[in-house]
Amino acid sequence: MSASRAYNPVPCYPSAEGGTSAGWLSLCADLPSRGHVLAIDGPQVLDWDRIAAAVTGQLRRRGADAEVLDVRERMSPWEQIRKRTAPASPLADDRDFSTIPSCALADLFDEVPVPPDADNLVVVIGPGAALVAHDELWYADLPKRYAEAAVGRGEGRNLGQPADGRPPTTRRLFYVDWPLLDRHREVIAFSIDRWIDTQDIANPKWLTAQALRATLRALSTMPFRTRPTFNTTSWGGHWARDRLGFNPASRNTALGYELIAPESGILLGPAPDQAAEVPFQLLVGLYPESVLGPAVHQRFGTSFPVRFDYLDTFGGGSLSVHCHPQEDYMRAVFGWPYTQHETYYMMVSEPGSVVYLGLHDDSELGEFESRARSAADHGTPFDIREFVQEFPAQPNQLFLIPAGTPHGSGAGNVVLEISATPYLYSLRFYDWLRRDADGARRQVHLGHAFRNLDRHRRGERVRQDLVQQPRRIDDGDGWRLELIGRLPEMFFDVQRLALAAGVTAPQDTSGRFHVLNLVEGDAVIIRTRASGGEHHLAYAETLVIPAAVGHYEVTAGQGARLVRAVVR
């Protein structure tokens, strides 16, 4: 194998059964001109008027007319939608968080629209179009990063929101719109006849149902990567930009989404610029047992329960000190069936950098809360180290962070978070009086944070439980597999595989998916017995090994270390 391989920001996999096509002309070529109802479903963020115009324009070119039914105009009144998706009472007036609603997208309609009885083609468009009786179903999509960017600019509308001039909110986007749309898409996934990626709306990339399902079925039995993205924040560093070459023009590369199931996508096509991006969660929803394994599927349904992401403070500032909701609170208040347990694996650390973790033995919590409230209300700084311990951020050390534990990465680190999938529930105690891009002091969440604080995780117990030493699991000639993190309350283990140069280590999924990241070394090759294929993995890249893979081998050209997560 080659001695070196660069981080690939656009991993791409060939599509099967006719491959990936492009353009409205080919997409609409087989549409009947009369007596046919075409439903085009998809998220709120799309330019639905332009999609309708593209389809009807293709029909007019061949002398046919079409009627358009926009289901967005048939949704329930906005006040009714807000009532039906109202959060739990602790979040009623919360600026940042809401409860994931238990209702379905169909519940945002008083009545499902009925297509007009017309001889012409009827094109039904908008979120929920699949609910309307139809002859053919297309799904048009944009990756979620586009919706987040649009809402951040104050553009567009939330799901069901009228065009009354009020801006959309990320609160509804994250906790209401996305869960409802994801649930709906999963219900209709096996009925989709065309998948359309509208990132280039003038020349969309698309796949037939046969190509989509055949490609995803094949991927569910072989190693693959999702498309990574990096976002900027007020505390962000520059490691991913300078070391990996990601977003070279960006202000910083604070948050690196390597594998976060609700947002990650997979590129399908002959090359990245000719590929359609499909949600990773679509693959899991279609083929859960192959990807997750039967036991994990039974426990988590179609939720892929582990995420890998980067926190880049290298050349930036410290993260806030925060905690995540405890299990019962997460279910009752936020609506997630499992909570946000985390770990920090230290990829890179500057000399003297630290990780904040756990309470001191003598931390007085009343004083902690009083100081935190004074900082939030009056801008009075305080030394968080009076209440929260700090540990040296040594490269290759893992820190375990069960829900309720106060923690945060200091400046000068690159953290690989290997964590449970929930990722939007950081309950801040202190954020260094930092200001956002608009100059306002960033929000903290003291009510939630102190209600979820684990008051017993303190003193020497923090070091004993959460800063563990490696224990041998298995080894062979030139390789060693170690357990580097396990807690009874956390449902996944973190392991590390170390290989000498030129060594091959045999591994097996044993019916449960693995997620790997190369944390040391230039590159390794993953070979699978079942498919006979191989996948190259470069430094800092993350790879999913579906449960269906079974036996696989890891070969290092030079010395290498990989970390991996395994659900117990």
Side-chain angles (χ1 to χ4, degrees):
M1 61 182 289
S2 62
S4 180
R5 182 178 174 274
Y7 181 92
N8 181 9
V10 283
C12 188
Y13 300 89
S15 45
E17 300 286 337
T20 303
S21 302
W24 292 107
L25 178 61
S26 59
L27 178 60
C28 298
D30 296 331
L31 271 180
S33 299
R34 307 175 66 82
H36 192 77
V37 178
L38 168 66
I40 310 178
D41 211 317
Q44 175 74 23
V45 67
L46 301 190
D47 188 341
W48 285 106
D49 294 336
R50 191 167 174 188
I51 289 172
V55 174
T56 56
Q58 290 298 325
L59 290 166
R60 282 195 298 271
R61 287 187 178 186
R62 59 187 203 228
D65 290 323
E67 295 191 39
V68 176
L69 170 59
D70 189 341
V71 298
R72 294 175 299 170
E73 300 170 357
R74 306 295 186 90
M75 284 186 168
S76 303
W78 180 234
E79 286 308 312
Q80 289 300 314
I81 289 175
R82 292 183 64 191
K83 287 180 181 178
R84 293 169 195 172
T85 58
S89 56
L91 300 180
D93 300 315
D94 199 289
R95 291 177 53 181
D96 293 324
F97 301 109
S98 191
T99 308
I100 295 175
S102 58
C103 64
L105 183 61
D107 295 318
L108 305 194
F109 296 85
D110 289 336
E111 293 182 355
V112 174
V114 177
D117 187 10
D119 290 334
N120 296 329
L121 176 72
V122 177
V123 182
V124 186
I125 63 167
L131 301 170
V132 177
H134 56 270
D135 301 299
E136 187 171 350
L137 175 61
W138 296 356
Y139 195 94
D141 195 40
L142 265 178
K144 286 179 178 173
R145 59 185 178 272
Y146 288 87
E148 183 175 358
V151 170
R153 296 190 299 266
E155 299 173 1
R157 289 180 278 166
N158 286 118
L159 191 60
Q161 182 182 12
D164 57 6
R166 286 181 290 183
T169 67
T170 53
R171 179 182 183 237
R172 284 198 70 87
L173 179 72
F174 293 163
Y175 305 109
V176 178
D177 297 0
W178 282 357
L180 288 177
L181 291 166
D182 287 352
R183 239 180 266 154
H184 172 69
R185 185 190 63 219
E186 189 161 312
V187 168
I188 65 173
F190 272 106
S191 302
I192 295 170
D193 298 301
R194 296 282 190 276
W195 181 274
I196 313 165
D197 179 347
T198 65
Q199 292 182 70
D200 180 359
I201 199 166
N203 187 39
K205 310 304 184 293
W206 60 274
L207 298 108
T208 66
Q210 294 80 8
L212 176 68
R213 289 194 273 275
T215 305
L216 294 182
R217 190 183 306 112
L219 275 181
S220 75
T221 64
M222 58 185 277
F224 63 88
R225 291 180 61 215
T226 59
R227 178 180 188 164
T229 59
F230 280 83
N231 294 336
T232 61
T233 71
S234 55
W235 46 260
H238 315 117
W239 170 82
R241 187 187 68 188
D242 299 341
R243 174 67 172 83
L244 304 183
F246 212 106
N247 294 353
S250 65
R251 181 165 51 94
N252 62 59
T253 44
L255 288 167
Y257 287 5
E258 278 286 304
L259 174 70
I260 297 185
E263 293 198 37
S264 292
I266 307 171
L267 294 173
L268 305 179
D273 61 349
Q274 303 170 52
E277 186 169 346
V278 304
F280 169 56
Q281 191 57 48
L282 180 67
L283 165 61
V284 182
L286 286 171
Y287 306 106
E289 288 212 353
S290 290
V291 177
L292 300 172
V296 179
H297 174 39
Q298 183 176 19
R299 181 175 179 182
F300 291 97
T302 57
S303 176
F304 192 88
V306 169
R307 63 179 162 90
F308 276 47
D309 59 272
Y310 288 117
L311 304 174
D312 178 2
T313 67
F314 203 79
S318 298
L319 269 68
S320 67
V321 176
H322 56 278
C323 72
H324 302 299
Q326 301 215 35
E327 197 89 36
D328 291 345
Y329 199 90
M330 180 65 112
R331 287 197 192 95
V333 176
F334 293 116
W336 260 90
Y338 58 99
T339 198
Q340 190 170 333
H341 296 304
E342 293 190 332
T343 74
Y344 281 4
Y345 187 87
M346 310 310 297
M347 293 276 287
V348 180
S349 300
E350 292 181 320
S353 60
V354 300
V355 167
Y356 302 99
L357 183 68
L359 298 167
H360 290 293
D361 238 341
D362 59 353
S363 292
E364 208 291 306
L365 299 186
E367 179 66 14
F368 182 13
E369 185 167 1
S370 174
R371 300 276 289 277
R373 291 199 179 279
S374 181
D377 296 341
H378 308 295
T380 307
F382 73 102
D383 190 346
I384 192 69
R385 296 173 297 178
E386 293 181 28
F387 305 98
V388 178
Q389 299 186 60
E390 63 177 10
F391 293 87
Q394 298 173 341
N396 297 308
Q397 178 64 55
L398 183 80
F399 296 92
L400 294 162
I401 309 168
T405 306
H407 67 283
S409 170
N413 293 324
V414 177
V415 172
L416 174 62
E417 275 196 318
I418 305 169
S419 303
T421 288
Y423 64 109
L424 297 172
Y425 301 93
S426 292
L427 312 177
R428 300 185 193 124
F429 297 101
Y430 187 58
D431 197 27
W432 316 99
L433 308 184
R434 192 155 30 212
R435 296 186 180 273
D436 61 22
D438 297 324
R441 191 175 298 130
R442 295 218 314 168
Q443 283 284 104
V444 291
H445 317 101
L446 299 183
H448 296 307
F450 281 98
R451 281 193 290 273
N452 284 277
L453 175 63
D454 185 343
R455 290 157 165 74
H456 305 291
R457 192 79 70 177
R458 56 169 72 219
E460 184 58 26
R461 183 182 170 191
V462 173
R463 183 183 301 276
Q464 292 171 353
D465 293 350
L466 308 186
V467 191
Q468 299 180 0
Q469 297 304 306
R471 289 91 79 195
R472 174 193 170 278
I473 298 174
D474 195 8
D475 58 31
D477 188 11
W479 64 270
R480 176 181 172 88
L481 180 65
E482 303 169 322
L483 175 65
I484 60 173
R486 170 184 282 182
L487 283 176
E489 60 264 52
M490 296 174 67
F491 60 82
F492 60 93
D493 290 346
V494 182
Q495 304 170 352
R496 183 168 59 204
L497 177 64
L499 301 95
V503 166
T504 295
Q507 303 293 305
D508 201 290
T509 63
S510 300
R512 297 170 185 265
F513 73 86
H514 292 176
V515 182
L516 281 64
N517 182 288
L518 183 61
V519 297
E520 191 174 295
D522 289 329
V524 296
I525 294 178
I526 314 295
R527 293 185 176 91
T528 60
R529 177 179 293 170
S531 66
E534 64 179 40
H535 197 298
H536 291 248
L537 190 68
Y539 172 71
E541 292 180 345
T542 300
L543 188 72
V544 178
I545 310 284
V549 165
H551 179 84
Y552 66 95
E553 296 179 341
V554 183
T555 301
Q558 302 173 347
R561 286 187 185 182
L562 302 95
V563 294
R564 77 181 184 198
V566 181
V567 175
R568 292 198 300 276

